[in-house]
Amino acid sequence: MSDLISALEEIVGPGQLFTGEAIDDRYRADIMGRIHDRPLCVARPRSTAEVAALLRIAGEHGVPVTTQGGRTGAVDGSFAAEGGIVLSLERMNAIEEIDPVSMTITVGAGLPLQAVQEAAEEAGLFLPLDIGARGSATVGGVISTNAGGLRTIRWGLTRDMVLGLEAVLADAGYDWKHLMIGSEGTLGVVTRATLRLRPKPRSVMTALIAARDFDKVVTLLRDFEADLGGQLTSFEVMWRDFFVLVTEANRAKRAPPMTAEHDFYVLVEAMGGDAGSDMERFEATLGRAFDRGDAIDAVIAQSEQERANIWAVREDMAGPMMRLVPLFAFDVSVALRDMPRVAEEISRSVCDAHPGATMLVYGHAGDGNLHFVIGIGDGSREAEHKIDLIVYRAVERAGGSISAEHGIGLAKRDFLGFTRSAGEIALMRTLKRALDPGNILNPGKVIDMAGGALA
Ligand code: LAC
Ligand code: ZN
């Protein structure tokens, strides 16, 4: 046992491992004031690497590990049995990054919820998650319980706010639902689903707005989100070439709702509960955008027909796209702030290699999701592979993802390594083997179980 203790102490360093009487009562006290068993030791790691090392040693000795955040849980989840190790994450409490453009915050799991709320507020942003124990409950704790809290009716559970996680695993997790979601039939067959529904909106406001540059697009997004108080339902951005292609090709069918001279077009739609006041608010938001110069042209749909015409600019694209065939289509995600740069970079590389190439850019910018349509007049596999490499390398450099909403399937499988680490891919294979040992579920998709070379 002393072997184990000294090995653990070596990992966390002097003064960060406690045994016996030296264990402070707080590591055993729950919100009801009960004092739980005295664990073998309390270790206070400072980094993910230390946590990984601790878990490895614990695994070798077969000793259980219980992770502790703020110990404000209500079901005794954070206390170790006698002989177990308590892993307190209280030192892993850094605010690592706030990205005000993409509106994300990256923090250590040991940071109390309230500290996140305050950091967000200081940046002019808002973390909707709120619970009574905000002052002590940690980010790791609310994630581990998927805490709901005081504003769940509007913004959902913790799960709805977690964009990414770093985790150290001793074994696979238990949340099979979320393992199944997004696994493209490779881990199981979904035969029934219960989906969350919302009340039907009573109002719809739709506008097409032109902006001078992408910074204005970002400003429009943030203003509509904030001013409309959550009523914003669509924010579809179209780069000029996309707008020109679709509106010109469809001109015989319908007149374009706006001239094609602008660099960016945004389709904004909001839904609310009261047609009169919602439209007033929507128009006021747009009016202010004009006053500030964020919007330089706009039309608001005054009828269902006008609404359909506006949506047609974004959606009636199958026919126009036929003019570009052969074409290659992409679905990637990159941070909002990186979108114009990444699109420009890809366009330049494509056009350098293939003068006269066409590239259209559009997508769900508010979700960090862009689509590229690229035509170089050559639809061969070799040509496709070259364009794939240009796009995915740019996405990789930007720290994005090769897939946003369309999945991986077979087409992107061999590019997975561009935006997933070797460790992540190995974990996918492990999970796959555990859940589908015979490799009978949609084999060959998403991940190559034979471990073939990455492109
Ligand atoms: C779209 C599809 C391609 O957004 O995802 O148009
Ligand atoms: Zn899409």
Side-chain angles (χ1 to χ4, degrees):
M1 205 45 78
S2 64
D3 270 8
L4 169 62
I5 296 295
S6 49
L8 296 174
E9 191 160 25
E10 198 168 322
I11 293 163
V12 290
Q16 301 304 338
L17 189 111
F18 309 92
T19 58
E21 295 293 321
I23 296 175
D24 193 282
D25 272 357
R26 74 176 191 273
Y27 296 108
R28 300 161 61 196
D30 67 23
I31 44 167
M32 305 305 293
R34 282 180 308 230
I35 300 291
H36 292 257
D37 286 344
R38 193 193 302 277
L40 171 70
C41 64
V42 173
R44 307 198 318 154
R46 197 192 39 195
S47 67
T48 305
E50 288 185 7
V51 173
L54 289 168
L55 286 197
R56 194 169 53 246
I57 302 284
E60 284 166 8
H61 287 75
V63 176
V65 174
T66 301
T67 305
Q68 275 191 0
R71 294 175 298 269
T72 41
V75 293
D76 295 344
S78 65
F79 301 100
E82 229 169 307
I85 299 169
V86 163
L87 212 59
S88 168
L89 298 194
E90 61 201 323
R91 295 171 71 215
M92 295 175 63
N93 60 355
I95 296 175
E96 287 165 16
E97 194 194 4
I98 294 194
D99 176 345
V101 175
S102 296
M103 297 202 301
T104 60
I105 185 167
T106 304
V107 302
L111 189 70
L113 179 61
Q114 190 171 339
V116 185
Q117 294 173 334
E118 287 168 356
E121 190 166 338
E122 247 176 66
L125 300 170
F126 180 57
L127 177 78
L129 185 64
D130 196 29
I131 60 177
R134 65 182 72 79
S136 42
T138 61
V139 170
V142 296
I143 289 172
S144 74
T145 52
N146 190 23
L150 308 173
R151 300 170 177 147
T152 305
I153 192 167
R154 180 70 175 273
W155 283 287
L157 301 153
T158 300
R159 184 185 305 291
D160 298 292
M161 300 170 208
V162 175
L163 290 175
L165 283 179
E166 178 187 74
V168 179
L169 307 180
D171 210 332
Y174 293 117
D175 197 342
W176 302 116
K177 180 181 80 175
H178 281 281
L179 203 47
M180 290 301 153
I181 296 171
S183 68
E184 299 182 47
T186 61
L187 300 180
V189 178
V190 176
T191 58
R192 180 180 284 159
T194 302
L195 305 176
R196 181 177 182 180
L197 302 176
R198 309 275 184 160
K200 186 174 171 172
R202 299 190 181 118
S203 68
V204 182
M205 289 70 62
T206 310
L208 184 67
I209 305 173
R212 208 181 308 280
D213 57 44
F214 198 80
D215 285 347
K216 303 287 190 207
V217 170
V218 171
T219 306
L220 284 170
L221 172 60
R222 296 318 175 208
D223 284 342
F224 271 91
E225 276 187 308
D227 288 4
L228 300 188
Q231 293 191 340
L232 184 70
T233 53
S234 299
F235 192 88
E236 295 292 316
V237 181
M238 294 161 275
W239 270 237
R240 182 186 188 162
D241 288 353
F242 176 96
F243 184 91
V244 169
L245 177 93
V246 174
T247 52
E248 285 308 312
N250 290 327
R251 193 176 274 281
K253 268 200 270 182
R254 67 183 83 80
M258 204 181 277
T259 57
E261 75 215 66
H262 307 295
D263 284 334
F264 292 93
Y265 295 83
V266 188
L267 192 165
V268 176
E269 187 160 274
M271 297 178 179
D274 181 85
S277 61
D278 291 341
M279 183 54 102
E280 239 173 66
R281 190 150 55 145
F282 190 84
E283 285 173 346
T285 301
L286 186 53
R288 285 191 292 273
F290 260 108
D291 292 345
R292 281 191 305 259
D294 299 333
I296 46 175
D297 199 357
V299 284
I300 296 183
Q302 304 296 339
S303 66
E304 198 46 48
Q305 183 57 49
E306 289 182 16
R307 178 178 174 227
N309 284 351
I310 288 176
W311 270 105
V313 174
R314 169 63 175 82
E315 293 199 303
D316 192 8
M317 53 186 230
M321 293 285 173
M322 288 307 288
R323 302 181 171 199
L324 294 184
V325 167
L327 56 79
F328 308 124
F330 295 88
D331 161 49
V332 304
S333 64
V334 291
L336 187 62
R337 61 182 172 190
D338 297 330
M339 283 181 175
R341 181 178 56 77
V342 172
E344 180 56 40
E345 226 176 274
I346 292 171
S347 172
R348 214 179 311 117
S349 302
V350 169
C351 291
D352 282 353
H354 306 277
T358 310
M359 175 163 153
L360 308 178
V361 185
Y362 70 103
H364 325 280
D367 308 331
N369 182 181
L370 278 190
H371 298 304
F372 307 128
V373 174
I374 298 174
I376 59 168
D378 176 355
S380 68
R381 300 287 271 159
E382 297 70 43
E384 181 171 21
H385 191 75
K386 278 189 204 151
I387 301 301
D388 280 349
L389 286 174
I390 289 174
V391 172
Y392 296 140
R393 276 183 187 139
V395 169
E396 180 184 34
R397 279 194 298 276
S401 170
I402 62 162
S403 172
E405 56 173 346
H406 296 173
I408 298 296
L410 198 55
K412 295 187 180 181
R413 185 193 69 183
D414 295 337
F415 297 96
L416 205 53
F418 277 65
T419 53
R420 292 283 164 234
S421 70
E424 285 172 310
I425 291 174
L427 177 60
M428 287 171 74
R429 289 204 179 97
T430 302
L431 290 172
K432 170 73 171 159
R433 264 184 221 108
L435 270 71
D436 181 23
N439 195 24
I440 59 165
L441 297 170
N442 206 8
K445 309 294 165 38
V446 184
I447 187 132
D448 177 10
M449 294 305 287
L454 297 170

